[in-house]
Amino acid sequence: MRIKIHISSFLLVISVSAFGQFRQKKIETDSSNIEITKNAVYHIYEERYKNKDSVWYSVHFIKDTLRLNTEGWVTKSGKRLGVWKEYNFNKQLLFTRDYDNAICEVNRKLFPYHEILEHMKKKADSLIISNYGRVFYDNQVRFDFDGYAYDKDGYVGSWTEPLKRKPTEFVFRYQVRVMDSDWQSDMIGINLDENGNYVPSHDRFNNYGFEKLDVEQKTFKIDKIKAISIAKNHGLKKENVSEFLKWEQFNTATFYNGQFRYYIAELIDQIEDIKNEGHSRITYKYNVYLFNPWSGEFLGIKKMKQIKEWGEDSGFTSDLLPDD
């Protein structure tokens, strides 16, 4: 439920900018920072609370700001929480999505060919179950409605976007987690043809492929507490530590095309190159302690880096990269 905030006094209006059809206004209050963005289509309201990890996010249509597009709670890192509903300009419900429980229900009257997506998704699920087992699928895999469809002419839509034409190619991506840790996005990617057959690929952005395992019980046996305890025996100081489940791809365009690895990353250095004009960069240096998540075996240490770069109109943050 949305919490209504009555703003008694404004501390500071930070900025107002406008160019073309884009306008942005930032306001600071005693309890929050508010950002209002207007573009050609939407009126976007974000209220970030200072003393908790909460952002109220609300989007209305610019042509009629009484017409809701979507709204709900988000963490400051951008993770959506709870149940969200999305509407079109005609006030028709497009879909309802429960981010906590990974449930999404679409308005079938507005989503042609959606039954084809559902049918193909079951085939993708069965590939995961046959390779990793039902226990792993039920407890450590989650479909986050990250599914896309194509035909010979290109992109036709997604799980939460009505398909324009009957699709003949499908991409499904799944989250995976180590128990008691956060879900990691895009850990399993599956590409199917119109008959539901698996299509191998070396596309590194979709993490296609499976890991070939010889163990009978296919579940992750590592967790953060256990991994940190082992890493301390190999030099970890337990300062500025973060965890990552990673898919290391072999780039072979085969069914077995990679392996899961669990990282305990310790920040050891931060190199800043910040400029008043032009591009700025921060390079983060890590010692990374590697584990096989299936067995819990410690595999060694390697040096890695992550780059954050930004300018006036753009920016990016890289994945963890080898630091040669």
Side-chain angles (χ1 to χ4, degrees):
M1 178 181 296
R2 179 179 177 180
I3 299 175
K4 294 183 179 179
I5 302 296
H6 298 282
I7 302 172
S8 58
S9 63
F10 292 108
L11 298 181
L12 177 65
V13 177
I14 301 175
S15 68
V16 178
S17 63
F19 54 91
Q21 292 180 307
F22 176 90
R23 289 183 296 161
Q24 190 174 76
K25 183 178 182 180
K26 296 183 179 181
I27 303 166
E28 184 177 348
T29 76
D30 293 331
S31 60
S32 63
N33 290 298
I34 299 169
E35 184 174 288
I36 301 171
T37 303
K38 299 179 182 179
N39 57 36
V41 181
Y42 299 114
H43 177 283
I44 304 166
Y45 177 93
E46 293 182 69
E47 185 164 3
R48 305 172 69 89
Y49 293 91
K50 294 179 179 179
N51 297 322
K52 53 185 177 180
D53 187 16
S54 298
V55 180
W56 175 252
Y57 184 83
S58 180
V59 182
H60 291 74
F61 291 96
I62 201 71
K63 289 183 179 179
D64 183 352
T65 55
L66 295 178
R67 300 195 187 199
L68 177 67
N69 171 247
T70 190
E71 64 183 6
W73 290 103
V74 190
T75 67
K76 290 179 179 177
S77 64
K79 179 182 177 182
R80 292 192 176 192
L81 304 171
V83 177
W84 289 56
K85 295 183 178 182
E86 185 158 325
Y87 299 86
N88 62 20
F89 185 74
N90 296 321
K91 300 183 180 180
Q92 295 172 300
L93 177 65
L94 294 173
F95 59 87
T96 301
R97 186 163 177 171
D98 182 342
Y99 284 88
D100 294 343
N101 298 299
I103 298 171
C104 182
E105 297 179 356
V106 306
N107 182 347
R108 293 181 180 275
K109 294 180 181 179
L110 302 179
F111 279 70
Y113 307 115
H114 190 76
E115 69 280 357
I116 299 177
L117 273 183
E118 292 177 317
H119 176 68
M120 290 299 177
K121 191 259 182 184
K122 290 180 180 178
K123 289 184 176 292
D125 292 347
S126 68
L127 285 173
I128 299 173
I129 294 168
S130 64
N131 194 70
Y132 295 133
R134 169 62 72 173
V135 173
F136 182 76
Y137 177 82
D138 287 342
N139 295 285
Q140 294 172 283
V141 177
R142 178 164 99 165
F143 180 61
D144 199 30
F145 305 97
D146 197 357
Y148 302 88
Y150 304 83
D151 66 5
K152 61 181 179 62
D153 294 320
Y155 180 74
V156 299
S158 70
W159 196 274
T160 54
E161 181 182 12
L163 304 185
K164 302 172 185 176
R165 303 178 298 275
K166 184 178 180 180
T168 57
E169 183 181 352
F170 308 85
V171 174
F172 298 101
R173 294 199 289 250
Y174 295 77
Q175 297 179 335
V176 179
R177 68 172 178 178
V178 173
M179 294 301 289
D180 300 322
S181 294
D182 290 336
W183 291 99
Q184 302 292 305
S185 297
D186 302 336
M187 288 289 102
I188 298 176
I190 296 174
N191 190 1
L192 302 177
D193 66 15
E194 60 184 321
N195 297 314
N197 298 315
Y198 181 82
V199 180
S201 172
H202 55 70
D203 178 356
R204 64 188 179 89
F205 296 106
N206 287 299
N207 286 338
Y208 293 125
F210 290 83
E211 182 173 0
K212 189 173 185 179
L213 298 171
D214 296 325
V215 295
E216 183 175 342
Q217 187 177 5
K218 298 173 183 177
T219 58
F220 289 156
K221 294 183 173 62
I222 196 67
D223 59 50
K224 186 175 181 179
I225 294 175
K226 184 187 300 183
I228 287 177
S229 177
I230 295 172
K232 286 174 67 176
N233 295 329
H234 295 274
L236 178 74
K237 298 177 182 177
K238 203 178 176 181
E239 297 175 358
N240 297 315
V241 171
S242 52
E243 61 170 338
F244 301 90
L245 179 66
K246 303 295 292 182
W247 174 254
E248 297 182 346
Q249 193 170 169
F250 297 157
N251 296 313
T252 56
T254 58
F255 185 84
Y256 296 112
N257 185 29
Q259 59 191 9
F260 284 108
R261 289 294 180 259
Y262 182 68
Y263 294 178
I264 293 294
E266 182 177 29
L267 181 66
I268 58 172
D269 197 8
Q270 181 173 315
I271 302 170
E272 297 185 356
D273 181 16
I274 300 180
K275 302 173 183 177
N276 293 328
E277 296 182 2
H279 281 278
S280 296
R281 170 186 288 203
I282 300 177
T283 302
Y284 302 96
K285 303 269 190 173
Y286 296 92
N287 282 335
V288 176
Y289 298 80
L290 276 74
F291 295 84
N292 181 336
W294 303 102
S295 65
E297 177 187 4
F298 174 67
L299 301 175
I301 306 171
K302 62 180 178 181
K303 295 193 176 294
M304 303 191 78
K305 64 183 177 182
Q306 186 177 45
I307 298 170
K308 180 179 181 181
E309 188 171 306
W310 69 94
E312 184 176 348
D313 300 318
S314 63
F316 75 93
T317 299
S318 75
D319 198 355
L320 283 173
L321 305 169
D323 189 13
D324 299 326

